[in-house]
Amino acid sequence: MSEFRIHHDVNELLSLLRVHREEGAEVYIDLLQKNRTPYVTTTVSAHSAKVKIAEFSRTPEDFLKKYDELKSKNTRNLDPLVYLLSKLTEEKETLQYLQQNAKERAELAVNATTSGSTSFTIPSTTSKISMQELEELRKQLGSVTTSSSVQQPLELIRKILRDKQNKKNSSQPIPVFPAWVYERSALNGDFLTGSSLSTDTTVPIGTLPLASQESTIVEDLLYVLIGVDGRYITAQPLIGRQNRAFLVDPNLDMSVKELVTRILPVAASYSTVTRFIEEKSSFEYGQVNHALAAAMRTLIKEYMILITQLEHLQRQGLLSLQKLWFYIQPTMRTMEILASLATSVDKGECMGGSTLSLLHDRTFNYTGDSQAQELCLYLTKAASVPYFEILEKWIYRGIINDPYSEFMVEEHELQKEKIQEDYNDKYWDQRYTVVQQQIPSFLQKMADKILSTGKYLNVVRECGCDVTCPEAKEVIYTLKERAYVEQIEKAYNYASKVLLDFLMEEKELVAHLRSIKHYFLMDQGDFFVHFMDLTEEELKKPVDDIIPTRLEALLELALRMSTANTDPFKDDLKIDLMPHDLITQLLRVLAIETKQEKAIINADPTELTLSGLEAFSFDYIVKWPLSLIINRKALTRYQMLFRHMFYCKHVERQLCNVWISNKAAKEVRGYNELTLEG
């Protein structure tokens, strides 16, 4: 973590805790810097930490339930957070402070709430609540909780995702299915609840003999297993994203009913998976989810083939309820895993890299179950294909083609020209950034190298050179992470070499640095003697009276008259008259992105009138892509060094003039004394 990031996070934490101290964040930043460890501590075992917090908590069941819920959503950095919280339970002073701080903030929040508008009032605790008031309060609270837990319609979710993606890729709007695809519910493979399509007269099943009940229920089950209501088994309407429930005729014989309840979870899983496939097949959910849905659809087709074969047996009278249970058992585990994955992706609102992280983690969790692991491996391989296609273009060519915002690297529109004015080198840091939630867990360790690899190639591409890694190979998902590491390392080494050779040979980086050394570090002695002789009178004037064009002309004359004339980049050197002295410039630079920045920038300029010598500095024109290295931040450092050295050179010249004057005065005085003696 960089020093700037530590500074930012500490300030954010102090702001959240409403801590206001005179020493500010610097004291805490120094402590953190001193206690930094060179070892990677992001991967921690949360089991012991979870047990410790559960023992410490007043409501351990609620904590464990919340932890499992967040874990099912594949929440990032959950285990490191739990580890940190477990450490906090050992710090009594910190806990007391946090409790007091939480109490104070809660009081502030209550005061802010009571001062504003309230939706309902709670009777005072000192008075007894009547039954009427209690019922009214229950209704109000019920309406609040109901409104907050209502699931957003899928149409609204798709619109939000579509608008978000179109905003990022305005030049390439994502395609949309026609409205009738969503309006015609019969096109969906799931149950049509609330619509009775059957016109058959249903005979009460309790009046039938046991053999007839079994035969009828087998027929019903075969319908239910493919998402169609039977006569005696019907699907219940869904509320939100809960699992599908079924209503079985209560008059059914108990022995038959027991076996039916064992088979129905397969139908519930089928319903969950079918809804997931239909939903994630929309373009709005991205290519990774679309590929995952396509892989699940392939498995569902195999499942449908099995049901078709069972229907054929049933028509021949060869399928009993026991046989159906026997044939369906191998499929039950598969459907259960598919439904579990679909539910987790939905709960976590996963897209792109986060979906792959969930699939990868689930694949590893099934290490002891070869069948389940093989199934998850198949799904992860299929889902990772579009993601790896984006990855390959990025690390092999430096191109991002990510219309659905699924990739770990995000592109921002920034202008290269602003690099000359940018002290913080935002172009290099912000043009391409890593999106943490889109990093697949199996690529987490290589995220920085992936980002840098594409950046290097992209710089060369933007200069008009088409580059492609000669060792480019297709990236295929595997549980052996070493395969990714080797491919990414080769691409990274190639990109580094290409960019370095491009900067050193074609853009002559070393020659530019040598040129900067000549002028800013005063390496060309004869040039500065000529220049200071020519500009001495002009630089004695107040800065407002100096004509910059005259100084530019004198600079060019000095360059032509000295050994600097052989420098091929001498025309990139320019005059810059600063509006403030060197000390003020230092303070302004140090205050960037701090609380004092606004105050210093808006401060009144110094009352002292600057002379040309105090305001004078050189500037240097650097073009892309050298401006990534010789950026405004670097040039400012050179400028400050130059201003100090230039003024020291001026003082040296003044001392030399005084010494020469004194020597001349002594000679005149000695001559006069000799004359008087003669």
Side-chain angles (χ1 to χ4, degrees):
M1 184 182 289
S2 65
E3 186 176 350
F4 172 77
R5 180 64 185 273
I6 293 173
H7 199 286
H8 175 268
D9 289 347
V10 169
N11 277 313
E12 285 290 313
L13 183 59
L14 293 178
S15 175
L16 288 171
L17 294 175
R18 301 179 189 272
V19 176
H20 303 287
R21 294 190 177 181
E22 294 180 0
E23 61 267 24
E26 284 72 18
V27 175
Y28 305 104
I29 292 167
D30 291 340
L31 286 171
L32 288 172
Q33 292 280 23
K34 290 176 183 176
N35 290 283
R36 288 180 72 176
T37 171
Y39 307 107
V40 178
T41 55
T42 53
T43 305
V44 295
S45 175
H47 179 70
S48 58
K50 185 173 64 172
V51 171
K52 187 181 292 184
I53 296 175
E55 293 173 351
F56 179 82
S57 174
R58 295 178 182 176
T59 54
E61 296 84 2
D62 293 342
F63 165 75
L64 293 173
K65 184 178 178 182
K66 189 66 178 177
Y67 176 85
D68 292 337
E69 179 189 342
L70 293 173
K71 198 70 176 174
S72 68
K73 292 182 178 181
N74 203 41
T75 305
R76 292 284 178 136
N77 298 323
L78 177 61
D79 289 345
L81 175 62
V82 170
Y83 180 77
L84 174 63
L85 293 176
S86 71
K87 288 295 181 183
L88 286 176
T89 60
E90 301 172 0
E91 298 286 339
K92 293 184 178 180
E93 292 183 6
T94 307
L95 281 176
Q96 290 175 358
Y97 174 77
L98 290 174
Q99 289 169 352
Q100 182 64 28
N101 186 274
K103 184 179 178 181
E104 292 172 359
R105 289 190 289 122
E107 291 173 356
L108 288 172
V110 169
N111 293 335
T113 305
T114 53
S115 62
S117 59
T118 55
S119 57
F120 56 86
T121 57
I122 299 176
S124 172
T125 54
T126 56
S127 61
K128 292 184 178 180
I129 303 176
S130 66
M131 291 301 295
Q132 184 179 358
E133 289 174 331
L134 183 62
E135 188 63 28
E136 185 180 350
L137 181 60
R138 185 183 289 114
K139 287 180 180 178
Q140 291 173 345
L141 290 172
S143 65
V144 171
T145 54
T146 303
S147 62
S148 63
S149 61
V150 168
Q151 185 78 24
Q152 287 184 322
L154 292 178
E155 184 181 351
L156 178 59
I157 294 173
R158 285 195 296 268
K159 185 178 183 303
I160 292 171
L161 290 171
R162 188 164 57 247
D163 292 344
K164 181 181 177 182
Q165 290 159 5
N166 285 338
K167 187 176 180 181
K168 287 188 176 181
N169 302 282
S170 55
S171 60
Q172 187 182 355
I174 63 172
V176 182
F177 283 133
W180 57 264
V181 173
Y182 306 110
E183 292 170 357
R184 300 181 183 180
S185 54
L187 294 175
N188 194 333
D190 198 16
F191 294 91
L192 293 174
T193 54
S195 59
S196 57
L197 301 177
S198 176
T199 57
D200 297 341
T201 304
T202 305
V203 179
I205 197 167
T207 62
L208 299 176
L210 186 60
S212 299
Q213 285 189 28
E214 183 177 345
S215 174
T216 306
I217 281 298
V218 167
E219 183 181 357
D220 262 21
L221 280 172
L222 290 174
Y223 277 114
V224 171
L225 287 172
I226 58 172
V228 180
D229 281 333
R231 287 177 294 177
Y232 304 102
I233 304 173
T234 55
Q236 297 292 90
L238 289 171
I239 301 175
R241 294 186 181 275
Q242 68 179 21
N243 291 330
R244 178 74 70 181
F246 296 91
L247 183 63
V248 182
D249 193 310
N251 298 318
L252 185 65
D253 185 87
M254 288 301 297
S255 60
V256 177
K257 193 173 183 179
E258 175 65 25
L259 207 49
V260 167
T261 54
R262 293 185 187 181
I263 298 173
L264 282 178
V266 181
S269 297
Y270 169 81
S271 175
T272 301
V273 175
T274 303
R275 278 182 280 120
F276 177 84
I277 291 171
E278 295 297 329
E279 181 183 342
K280 302 306 178 186
S281 295
S282 298
F283 295 103
E284 291 84 355
Y285 291 95
Q287 299 177 83
V288 172
N289 283 341
H290 187 87
L292 176 61
M296 285 188 174
R297 183 178 279 111
T298 303
L299 296 173
I300 289 296
K301 285 179 181 178
E302 295 178 2
Y303 167 80
M304 296 297 286
I305 291 171
L306 170 65
I307 300 300
T308 304
Q309 293 171 346
L310 293 175
E311 286 177 350
H312 183 66
L313 290 175
Q314 190 265 338
R315 282 195 296 269
Q316 293 178 341
L318 302 175
L319 186 66
S320 65
L321 192 59
Q322 286 288 348
K323 282 186 177 181
L324 176 60
W325 169 241
F326 173 77
Y327 286 127
I328 208 73
Q329 278 190 71
T331 310
M332 180 177 283
R333 177 62 173 157
T334 300
M335 297 301 293
E336 180 187 343
I337 293 170
L338 292 180
S340 173
L341 287 172
T343 304
S344 297
V345 171
D346 269 343
K347 279 185 178 180
E349 298 179 356
C350 299
M351 280 183 65
S354 55
T355 298
L356 294 180
S357 292
L358 189 148
L359 292 170
H360 174 76
D361 294 343
R362 195 64 65 88
T363 305
F364 256 105
N365 291 340
Y366 286 131
T367 301
D369 187 342
S370 58
Q371 182 185 354
Q373 189 175 51
E374 187 178 349
L375 174 63
C376 288
L377 189 61
Y378 164 75
L379 293 173
T380 312
K381 279 185 177 179
S384 64
V385 169
Y387 191 92
F388 282 152
E389 286 177 357
I390 304 172
L391 176 65
E392 287 166 16
K393 282 188 178 180
W394 176 246
I395 63 173
Y396 294 149
R397 299 185 62 195
I399 298 174
I400 282 189
N401 184 13
D402 182 23
Y404 303 101
S405 303
E406 300 174 281
F407 191 48
M408 68 170 74
V409 179
E410 186 178 22
E411 183 178 7
H412 306 276
E413 290 297 328
L414 294 174
Q415 296 180 0
K416 296 191 289 287
E417 291 76 14
K418 288 191 176 180
I419 265 188
Q420 288 295 325
E421 306 166 6
D422 187 8
Y423 282 85
N424 291 309
D425 196 11
K426 288 183 180 177
Y427 184 87
W428 185 250
D429 291 336
Q430 297 184 9
R431 172 70 192 277
Y432 296 103
T433 56
V434 170
V435 183
Q436 286 296 329
Q437 62 267 28
Q438 296 294 6
I439 304 176
S441 54
F442 51 87
L443 294 177
Q444 183 73 49
K445 296 176 183 177
M446 303 299 294
D448 290 334
K449 282 199 173 180
I450 291 172
L451 175 66
S452 299
T453 303
K455 272 186 176 183
Y456 296 162
L457 295 176
N458 187 264
V459 169
V460 181
R461 286 185 62 82
E462 292 201 8
C463 294
C465 301
D466 191 14
V467 287
T468 303
C469 180
E471 299 183 14
K473 294 180 181 178
E474 184 182 3
V475 183
I476 300 174
Y477 175 78
T478 173
L479 291 175
K480 298 177 181 178
E481 293 187 13
R482 185 64 195 167
Y484 308 118
V485 173
E486 289 177 356
Q487 285 180 269
I488 293 167
E489 285 282 0
K490 289 177 181 178
Y492 175 76
N493 293 335
Y494 171 76
S496 302
K497 186 178 184 303
V498 165
L499 180 59
L500 186 61
D501 292 345
F502 181 74
L503 293 174
M504 299 290 282
E505 295 173 9
E506 291 193 34
K507 297 300 178 181
E508 301 178 281
L509 173 61
V510 174
H512 277 280
L513 291 173
R514 191 178 295 116
S515 180
I516 289 174
K517 176 189 174 186
H518 290 334
Y519 306 121
F520 285 88
L521 301 183
M522 304 182 75
D523 189 27
Q524 294 281 3
D526 62 325
F527 159 70
F528 279 100
V529 170
H530 283 296
F531 179 73
M532 297 186 81
D533 286 341
L534 292 170
T535 60
E536 186 171 9
E537 294 301 322
E538 191 72 18
L539 292 177
K540 286 180 181 178
K541 299 177 184 178
V543 68
D544 295 334
D545 297 338
I546 295 176
I547 303 171
T549 52
R550 179 171 171 76
L551 278 181
E552 292 282 358
L554 294 173
L555 171 63
E556 187 174 354
L557 182 61
L559 287 169
R560 306 298 179 203
M561 292 172 58
S562 65
T563 54
N565 191 38
T566 59
D567 184 1
F569 307 114
K570 60 182 179 295
D571 294 332
D572 293 334
L573 189 67
K574 301 295 177 186
I575 297 292
D576 192 7
L577 293 174
M578 296 290 187
H580 34 255
D581 58 16
L582 178 58
I583 300 299
T584 306
Q585 185 183 8
L586 275 169
L587 292 174
R588 288 169 69 93
V589 171
L590 291 173
I592 289 174
E593 295 189 1
T594 65
K595 293 180 179 179
Q596 294 80 19
E597 181 179 13
K598 190 174 181 181
I600 290 179
I601 290 175
N602 296 332
D604 294 332
T606 177
E607 296 179 0
L608 297 174
T609 303
L610 292 178
S611 66
L613 284 163
E614 293 171 316
F616 178 77
S617 181
F618 280 145
D619 201 1
Y620 196 83
I621 298 174
V622 187
K623 296 179 181 178
W624 173 268
L626 292 179
S627 51
L628 289 172
I629 299 169
I630 311 172
N631 50 45
R632 177 51 54 185
K633 186 191 296 185
L635 284 175
T636 300
R637 290 171 177 166
Y638 277 115
Q639 279 185 331
M640 289 188 289
L641 285 171
F642 171 77
R643 291 181 73 181
H644 179 67
M645 294 169 64
F646 186 77
Y647 202 81
C648 288
K649 190 70 175 177
H650 165 68
V651 172
E652 180 192 8
R653 285 168 61 87
Q654 294 297 100
L655 289 173
C656 288
N657 290 337
V658 170
W659 183 80
I660 291 169
S661 299
N662 286 341
K663 187 176 180 181
K666 285 181 180 179
E667 290 178 356
V668 171
R669 188 165 59 249
Y671 175 76
N672 290 336
E673 289 176 357
L674 289 174
T675 304
L676 290 172
E677 289 177 1

